Amino acid sequence: MPAQPSPKKARVRMYQVGFGDCLLLSFEYPSALSDGRDERHILFDCGSTHKPWAGFEMKQVTDLIKQHTGGQLDVLVSTHRHRDHVSGFGGSATDDDFVAMAPHVVVQAWTEHPDIDKDALEPAFGAPGATVAQLRADVKTMEQLADRIVSWLEALPADEQAQRRYEMLYDLAADQIPNKAAVDNLKKWSEGGKGLYVHFGNGHQRLQEAVPGVTFDVIGPPTLKQHPGLRNYADTSPEYWIAASKEVLATLDSINTERRSKRTGARIPITALPIVERLRDSNAESLLNMVRRMDNFLNNTSVILLIKAGTKRLLFGGDAQVENWGFALGKSAVVTELKKVDLYKVGHHGSRNATPRGLMELWPKTPDGADPRMVGLMSTRLHTGHGDEDNETEVPRGPLVDALKERATVYSTHEMPEGQLWLELEGNLAGTSPFSLVPPS
């Protein structure tokens, strides 16, 4: 069997989409491959929930992607279904661009497979007490609950909607509502055998065929059979989200009752006063905590890929949280490879739970006076509704970014000047020099 050609150079372009993700990884080969092209292109996500500036449109980014790929995508990776990662796949202005680029392989997590037996337990799609049917029921209940919270918030007076706690709640809840157009398009683009639904340890062969000379390790998400802890909230109740939904709706009704009482002057029964006082102090935080658990659940279905090309190791983890990472970090062979990472796409826009301490500590701090060997790419936007410093949940999380900067050169979209639509790095796959920044053209 003839040896596979190996690429000589890698280019990574991180597009400015505001609060969201869209990143293109391109490999350049020394000569043309069997299709006459000397490049291969992998796109990771395309979505946003906050524009980087007034007048920005995602169409500007997809036009650039077409330009940078020569109009052909080899692999499209949708790490998970949150809006800030997939909304660009479902926008009417961008649909045609992705159809025209006709990705050969569309990668999604195993949880998105349309044909999995809902009660499957073997070989990879569930475990006793945590089947696919239950997982999907959880997702549906969460989505309905998020929609209810968003509708409730939109009905509030404008001055209340503008309160910081409600802005945070709105942003988090809105991200949980499924972007149906994007989900439907990804399903359609996966038809004809193009869909690849991956979990820990599988899917790499198809990717290696699509991008010759490059090795892919799928290290997340694990299946429920491999790691039932992905659904650890179910230890409380198999119908956790149904119970949570009832709790939240009761809270909303109580808040509305209090608001009506204030407006009409109606007296609240004395027996209800302790409940009203408690809700007055804690209802927003309770709702926020619930929606954060919803957010973490879907993030833990994120695809994690470790890509090896020549002397370089590149790590892309979507928004994977500690439960997802925990399974991979428990495998010694994976840990050995993760120690060698040259480029890390920072998880979940810099949130503390998406780059666990066990991962960070695999990477040594850069000695004083030396240049970092590693590069970090962070697509984020400051001052969104995602967390706050008071409870150490702000995104990006300051101490995490500081720790990463002790180990890597970190580039972030929020530091890019207004109007700059992408940031580009290149790496020589035969040498030891780190990825370097390509000056904007």
Side-chain angles (χ1 to χ4, degrees):
M1 182 177 179
Q4 285 188 315
S6 296
K8 63 179 181 179
K9 183 182 291 186
R11 291 185 180 273
V12 184
R13 296 177 177 96
M14 181 169 62
Y15 297 100
Q16 173 62 282
V17 293
F19 192 85
D21 263 343
C22 187
L23 187 145
L24 181 70
L25 170 60
S26 301
F27 291 105
E28 300 177 10
Y29 293 79
S31 59
L33 302 177
S34 58
D35 62 355
R37 300 160 55 226
D38 62 359
E39 294 182 331
R40 289 291 184 264
H41 304 285
I42 307 170
L43 182 72
F44 291 85
D45 294 329
C46 185
S48 178
T49 55
H50 292 76
K51 293 183 178 183
W53 53 75
F56 169 85
E57 297 295 339
M58 190 64 79
K59 174 69 173 167
Q60 298 170 272
V61 170
T62 56
D63 283 344
L64 277 172
I65 295 170
K66 286 196 297 183
Q67 175 186 327
H68 292 154
T69 61
Q72 177 63 68
L73 268 178
D74 297 281
V75 179
L76 186 159
V77 181
S78 173
T79 60
H80 64 298
R81 62 163 58 194
H82 273 150
R83 284 174 177 258
D84 56 339
H85 291 255
V86 302
S87 60
F89 298 138
S92 58
T94 56
D95 289 2
D96 290 345
D97 290 335
F98 288 108
V99 171
M101 287 185 280
H104 296 151
V105 181
V106 177
V107 178
Q108 297 183 77
W110 67 274
T111 52
E112 300 293 335
H113 198 301
D115 299 322
I116 296 176
D117 179 353
K118 66 178 182 178
D119 297 318
L121 305 179
E122 298 280 351
F125 302 126
T131 67
V132 171
Q134 291 170 317
L135 184 146
R136 288 185 172 171
D138 291 344
V139 171
K140 184 175 181 179
T141 302
M142 283 190 293
E143 291 171 348
Q144 292 171 340
L145 180 55
D147 188 60
R148 177 66 178 83
I149 292 173
V150 166
S151 297
W152 176 79
L153 288 165
E154 289 176 340
L156 292 177
D159 60 331
E160 292 191 49
Q161 290 188 41
Q163 292 178 14
R164 171 64 176 165
R165 61 183 181 180
Y166 286 146
E167 284 185 332
M168 292 168 57
L169 181 59
Y170 184 92
D171 282 343
L172 272 174
D175 208 20
Q176 315 307 315
I177 299 173
N179 187 324
K180 186 177 186 303
V183 172
D184 288 347
N185 278 340
L186 288 165
K187 182 178 179 180
K188 180 169 60 178
W189 301 337
S190 299
E191 293 174 351
K194 294 182 178 180
L196 178 60
Y197 302 92
V198 301
H199 59 79
F200 180 93
N202 93 321
H204 53 276
Q205 184 173 349
R206 286 270 308 278
L207 291 170
Q208 286 159 201
E209 292 169 356
V211 188
V214 175
T215 300
F216 295 80
D217 289 338
V218 181
I219 61 174
T223 67
L224 291 170
K225 182 174 180 61
Q226 291 172 323
H227 188 40
L230 284 180
R231 198 172 178 265
N232 58 10
Y233 53 82
D235 291 342
T236 304
S237 168
E239 297 182 338
Y240 175 89
W241 288 112
I242 294 175
S245 179
K246 293 177 180 177
E247 176 187 338
V248 168
L249 295 180
T251 301
L252 296 181
D253 287 342
S254 296
I255 298 169
N256 289 339
T257 298
E258 180 191 2
R259 184 176 289 107
R260 285 193 298 270
S261 298
K262 288 181 177 179
R263 194 165 55 240
T264 64
R267 296 187 63 182
I268 300 171
I270 191 169
T271 54
L273 283 176
I275 298 174
V276 171
E277 290 297 329
R278 179 171 58 85
L279 288 174
R280 184 175 295 148
D281 294 338
S282 65
N283 69 76
E285 189 60 35
S286 296
L287 292 174
L288 271 170
N289 287 337
M290 184 64 66
V291 178
R292 285 181 183 128
R293 288 197 288 273
M294 294 162 58
D295 190 59
N296 288 342
F297 172 76
L298 283 180
N299 286 339
N300 269 321
T301 66
S302 287
V303 173
I304 307 176
L305 292 180
L306 176 63
I307 300 175
K308 295 176 279 188
T311 58
K312 298 294 187 289
R313 303 291 184 270
L314 302 91
L315 179 61
F316 302 87
D319 286 357
Q321 301 287 292
V322 291
E323 292 84 1
N324 191 338
W325 279 113
F327 185 77
L329 292 171
K331 308 295 182 183
S332 59
V334 173
V335 168
T336 298
E337 292 295 337
L338 289 175
K339 290 179 179 178
K340 306 172 187 177
V341 167
D342 298 274
L343 184 146
Y344 170 49
K345 172 59 179 61
V346 181
H348 198 212
H349 321 289
S351 82
R352 66 177 184 178
N353 288 332
T355 306
R357 185 182 299 273
L359 178 63
M360 184 77 76
E361 291 179 347
L362 296 179
W363 304 323
K365 295 181 180 180
T366 305
D368 291 342
D371 293 327
R373 177 190 62 81
M374 187 172 157
V375 167
L377 290 176
M378 184 168 62
S379 181
T380 192
R381 185 174 184 268
L382 300 179
H383 312 303
T384 66
H386 289 261
D388 56 49
E389 293 186 20
D390 290 344
N391 58 14
E392 301 181 348
T393 59
E394 82 275 17
V395 178
R397 175 71 178 138
L400 181 141
V401 176
D402 291 342
L404 189 58
K405 286 181 176 179
E406 294 177 332
R407 297 159 168 83
T409 302
V410 179
Y411 298 97
S412 176
T413 54
H414 79 74
E415 296 173 341
M416 293 164 56
E418 182 170 332
Q420 182 178 334
L421 282 168
W422 83 95
L423 177 151
E424 182 174 345
L425 300 176
E426 67 176 17
N428 181 347
L429 301 180
T432 58
S433 57
F435 278 85
S436 60
L437 182 68
V438 177
S441 56

